[in-house]
């Protein structure tokens, strides 16, 4: 199998390719990060080097096998070299700002009951190249993207090495130069990895999928809550904030008659007490075969009124990408047409 260069830093390209002149590595890096996916189209390289590149390397190791568009969002289905299928999503807001929602694993091992990705099980971790490929393909399809959320398929902090590497490549000033402040990692609550992020000063933003601030309820829908209970999770967020001092996003999927009651708001209020957070409310998106329901408009409104009354800061995430099954929790490796 040829080695893919898209997830490599210039110095890694240098040692992998070993070109006649060291500065060639930077030229190759720059070309790849400007979304050139064919060595032939890199105009400033000598023929001999191009032949070496063709014979031994590829730029992206994966292939786009389906493109769906819906107004200002879109979804790509990507087939990996081993035939695993992943998806990534492009979201645009009203100001035209584009955000890439990238996958970090083929499937997910965390098994959250309300999530289509979790329902399909885990296949494997993605490499940094396979994460970057998604971004390159999204930009080729939809134009320049300013923000990244690692919120697609998989648990990013369960594949931390490739995740951080991909972020570093996307941040590199010789390439896309996307600032870490415009990247967000979403986790189901791996407390040990949150503390690790704090310890190493990982500059990306943090989002935590809470979904319920009651231990019993959370365990019911998120098996990971047994390993890292709410106490431990809360402790890790305090630790994170003591070191990083950054507002954390708390994701809260609203599920009909499950986590929408007055008492649920009280649990939430207690959980976030003393933390600097914004709660991101996501009405549950339907996914085939999952036994949950979206709350009615009235149930959602009632919940939002309770948040207001408790002075809990929140935003409601609108159901972007629903038509193309590109909304949160709807990504899966199933083929679609
Ligand atoms: N594994 C990470 C990131 C991917 S999941 C995590 O759990 O945070 C991204 C977000 O989608 C999470 O906040 C999750 O709670 C939410 N989600 C999963 N299934 C959903 C569904 N069916 N409807 C709405 N949101 C969902
Ligand atoms: Fe995995 Fe996140 Fe889905 Fe849970 S919500 S199964 S952690 S992708």
């Amino acid at each position: 199998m040829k080695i893919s260069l898209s997830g490599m830093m210039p110095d890694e390209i240098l040692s992998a390719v070993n070109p006649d002149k060291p500065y060639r590595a930077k030229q190759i890096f720059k070309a790849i990060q400007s979304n050139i996916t064919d060595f032939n189209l890199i105009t400033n390289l000598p023929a001999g080097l191009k032949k070496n590149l063709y014979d031994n390397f590829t730029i992206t190791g994966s292939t786009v096998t389906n493109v769906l568009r819906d107004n200002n969002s879109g979804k790509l289905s990507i087939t990996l070299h081993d035939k695993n299928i992943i998806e990534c999503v492009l979201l645009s807001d009203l100001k035209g700002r584009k955000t890439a929602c990238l996958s970090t694993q083929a499937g997910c091992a965390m098994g959250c009951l309300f999530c289509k990705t979790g329902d399909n099980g885990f296949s494997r971790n993605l490499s940094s190249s396979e994460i970057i490929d998604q971004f390159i393909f999204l930009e080729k399809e939809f134009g320049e993207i300013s923000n990244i959320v690692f919120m697609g398929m998989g648990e990013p902090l369960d594949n931390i090495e490739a995740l951080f590497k991909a972020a570093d490549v996307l941040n590199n000033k010789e390439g896309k130069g996307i600032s870490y402040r415009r990247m967000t990692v979403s986790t189901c609550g791996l407390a040990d990895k949150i503390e690790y992020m704090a310890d190493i000063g990982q500059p990306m933003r943090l989002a935590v999928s809470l979904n319920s601030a009651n231990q019993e309820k959370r365990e019911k829908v998120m098996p990971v809550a047994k390993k890292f209970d709410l106490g431990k999770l809360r402790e890790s967020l305090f630790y994170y904030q003591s070191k990083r001092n950054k507002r954390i996003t708390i994701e809260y999927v609203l599920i009909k008659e499950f986590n929408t009651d007055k008492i649920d708001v009280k649990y939430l209020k207690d959980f976030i007490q003393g933390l600097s957070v914004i709660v991101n409310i996501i009405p549950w998106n339907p996914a085939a075969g999952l036994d949950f329901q979206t709350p009615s408009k009235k149930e959602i409104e009632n919940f939002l009124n309770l948040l207001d009354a408790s002075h809990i800061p929140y935003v409601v995430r609108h159901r972007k990408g629903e038509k193309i099954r590109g909304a949160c929790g709807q990504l899966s490796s199933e083929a679609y047409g």
Side-chain angles (χ1 to χ4, degrees):
M1 202 183 80
K2 291 183 182 176
I3 300 165
S4 162
L5 298 180
S6 62
M8 289 189 191
M9 288 292 212
D11 60 322
E12 292 167 305
I13 294 177
L14 181 62
S15 46
V17 176
N18 198 16
D20 54 335
K21 308 221 171 54
Y23 68 84
R24 298 282 184 213
K26 210 176 261 181
Q27 289 178 318
I28 298 169
F29 178 82
K30 278 187 176 172
I32 294 173
Q33 296 305 321
S34 68
N35 303 335
I36 290 179
T37 50
D38 180 345
F39 291 124
N40 227 351
L41 300 176
I42 310 180
T43 49
N44 53 2
L45 300 181
L49 176 56
K50 275 193 198 173
K51 179 163 181 349
N52 172 21
L53 290 170
Y54 263 116
D55 290 347
N56 302 297
F57 302 93
T58 61
I59 295 180
T60 58
S62 25
T63 321
V64 177
T65 38
N66 209 341
V67 180
L68 290 180
R69 280 174 185 274
D70 173 27
N71 287 329
N72 44 13
S73 39
K75 178 166 83 165
L76 303 183
S77 185
I78 295 173
T79 303
L80 307 177
H81 68 84
D82 61 0
K83 304 284 179 262
N84 268 301
I85 296 172
I86 57 162
E87 295 181 332
C88 57
V89 177
L90 187 277
L91 303 161
S92 307
D93 64 16
L94 294 173
K95 290 184 203 142
R97 190 180 59 171
K98 295 193 186 100
T99 299
C101 177
L102 305 182
S103 295
T104 52
Q105 299 181 313
C108 183
M110 299 299 149
C112 303
L113 270 62
F114 51 82
C115 170
K116 191 66 196 161
T117 308
D119 190 50
N120 284 346
F122 178 67
S123 182
R124 68 170 173 84
N125 277 334
L126 301 187
S127 66
S128 57
S129 285
E130 288 167 332
I131 298 173
I132 305 272
D133 287 356
Q134 297 169 56
F135 192 88
I136 290 176
F137 292 144
L138 282 171
E139 278 204 329
K140 277 178 88 100
E141 195 63 43
F142 300 102
E144 195 176 336
I145 298 169
S146 58
N147 291 58
I148 300 171
V149 290
F150 295 99
M151 262 181 215
M153 294 165 70
E155 167 50 46
L157 297 188
D158 200 25
N159 184 16
I160 209 160
E161 208 177 306
L163 167 74
F164 289 175
K165 175 67 178 303
D168 289 346
V169 170
L170 291 163
N171 171 256
N172 192 298
K173 299 277 174 296
E174 302 285 346
K176 297 190 182 294
I178 297 173
S179 97
Y180 291 109
R181 282 176 295 113
R182 294 176 180 274
M183 301 185 201
T184 302
V185 182
S186 174
T187 175
C188 61
L190 303 185
D192 56 344
K193 301 288 170 50
I194 292 172
E195 285 173 5
Y196 175 69
M197 274 182 79
D199 282 337
I200 64 165
Q202 170 51 243
M204 282 186 277
R205 291 183 175 278
L206 179 67
V208 176
S209 301
L210 186 69
N211 303 328
S212 171
N214 171 271
Q215 179 62 24
E216 211 176 304
K217 280 194 188 189
R218 192 162 191 266
E219 268 183 26
K220 248 189 209 159
V221 292
M222 300 181 75
V224 68
K226 291 180 197 132
K227 185 162 179 201
F228 299 106
D229 65 23
L230 283 170
K232 180 75 199 116
L233 179 58
R234 193 161 181 271
E235 219 174 87
S236 73
L237 298 183
F238 271 100
Y239 183 74
Y240 178 87
Q241 230 149 35
S242 73
K243 299 225 165 184
R244 307 281 317 134
N245 193 26
K246 270 194 190 160
R247 191 159 74 159
I248 298 166
T249 300
I250 298 288
E251 292 161 285
Y252 196 100
V253 178
L254 267 192
I255 299 172
K256 183 179 177 180
E257 289 166 11
F258 172 71
N259 57 1
T260 60
D261 204 66
K262 198 171 175 183
I263 185 76
D264 297 301
V265 175
K266 166 91 173 58
Y267 295 139
L268 179 60
K269 172 116 183 141
D270 290 347
F271 184 85
I272 64 173
Q273 191 66 47
L275 289 166
S276 165
V277 302
I278 174 110
V279 179
N280 201 335
I281 300 295
I282 316 162
W284 185 75
N285 290 310
L290 300 188
D291 199 13
F292 293 89
Q293 282 184 321
T294 311
S296 66
K297 228 176 157 191
K298 190 158 172 265
E299 193 175 345
I300 296 173
E301 259 167 37
N302 184 47
F303 187 79
L304 299 181
N305 288 338
L306 291 166
L307 292 179
D308 284 331
S310 299
H311 306 291
I312 296 176
Y314 67 88
V315 289
V316 181
R317 194 187 295 168
H318 293 291
R319 302 165 83 180
K320 294 175 197 157
E322 196 184 9
K323 277 196 205 123
I324 52 170
R325 275 181 279 156
C328 290
Q330 294 185 316
L331 302 188
S332 79
S333 54
E334 282 164 15
Y336 56 89

